[in-house]
Amino acid sequence: MSTNIQSWPDLIPAPIVPIQAENWYALHTRPRHEKLVALRLNERGVETFLPMVTEVHRWSDRKKVLQLPLFASYLFAKFVPNRTERLRVLRVGGVLALVGNSGEGAPIPNEQINAVRAAVESPLTWSTHPFLQIGQRVRIRTGALDGLEGILVSRNGSHRLVISVDAIQRSLAVQVEGYQVEAA
């Protein structure tokens, strides 16, 4: 009677490679290509955020309601910051560059994207605002925008909260009359 004893070499565990988290990045696009780029990126499985604004354009013979990007020539994409993913995004027609240093892009904090999303989706009156680098940073403590942070400014006697996306140097302002605001 014969027995086969198989000896397995000591298995060396594979090194644990940390999984990189997805970050939001701003993409600079060709003018008036934001919607097409967002569509193409979504087809490739890349999550995008393209904040839109509704505007009424008047011509001599008609009026038309248009959905336009809030930040012209920019949109946001969420992906893992590695070479393969960057190239997958940059190879989409209409994308000019990642916004940031050395072509690698600068990650945008989730809080800034969530703040823009909350402001755009809220029923409050808002408008674009010149980008501010200095000013008092505040946080809203009540209502639908509770926890939102931005810069408080006064314009024509009304108070507005300016929400900025640093990477693309663009901002939007939300009217905050009646909200409790505190220093952040």
Side-chain angles (χ1 to χ4, degrees), residues 5-13:
I5 298 176
Q6 291 185 343
S7 174
W8 296 97
D10 289 337
L11 296 176
I12 300 171

Side-chain angles (χ1 to χ4, degrees), residues 102-124:
S102 305
E104 292 185 11
I108 298 172
N110 285 334
E111 296 79 29
Q112 290 182 2
I113 297 293
N114 292 339
V116 171
R117 192 182 309 262
V120 170
E121 292 173 357
S122 77
L124 299 173

Side-chain angles (χ1 to χ4, degrees), residues 7 12 53 59 100 129 132 153 168-169 174-175 184:
S7 174
I12 300 171
V53 60
W59 290 271
H129 193 276
L132 301 174
V153 297
I168 63 171
Q169 295 187 350
V174 179
Q175 194 162 347

Side-chain angles (χ1 to χ4, degrees), residues 17-160:
V17 178
I19 298 175
Q20 289 182 312
E22 290 184 327
N23 293 319
W24 285 102
Y25 293 90
L27 302 178
H28 186 210
T29 67
R30 292 182 59 198
R32 296 181 300 277
H33 279 70
E34 304 90 349
K35 291 179 188 177
L36 183 59
V37 168
L39 177 67
R40 288 181 178 162
L41 286 171
N42 287 330
E43 288 171 351
R44 293 181 181 201
V46 177
E47 183 180 352
T48 61
F49 173 52
L50 179 59
M52 303 294 283
V53 60
T54 302
E55 291 184 1
V56 177
H57 284 228
R58 292 179 180 88
W59 290 271
S60 60
D61 61 338
R62 65 181 192 260
K63 290 183 193 177
K64 190 170 184 179
V65 178
L66 300 173
Q67 284 285 107
L68 301 172
L70 176 62
F71 305 122
S73 296
Y74 292 98
L75 72 104
F76 305 100
K78 190 174 190 179
F79 58 89
V80 177
N82 61 35
R83 180 176 165 75
T84 305
E85 289 297 307
R86 269 195 290 278
L87 287 175
R88 184 167 75 134
V89 168
L90 289 170
R91 287 186 176 150
V92 170
V95 174
L96 297 177
L98 282 166
V99 176
N101 37 344
S102 305
E104 292 185 11
I108 298 172
N110 285 334
E111 296 79 29
Q112 290 182 2
I113 297 293
N114 292 339
V116 171
R117 192 182 309 262
V120 170
E121 292 173 357
S122 77
L124 299 173
T125 303
W126 56 269
S127 63
T128 57
H129 193 276
F131 182 75
L132 301 174
Q133 294 184 18
I134 58 172
Q136 177 68 38
R137 191 142 186 90
V138 297
R139 181 181 307 116
I140 296 177
R141 296 306 324 154
T142 58
L145 301 178
D146 186 26
L148 220 65
E149 288 188 19
I151 300 168
L152 184 65
V153 297
S154 180
R155 188 171 170 188
N156 298 331
S158 68
H159 289 53
R160 295 173 180 259

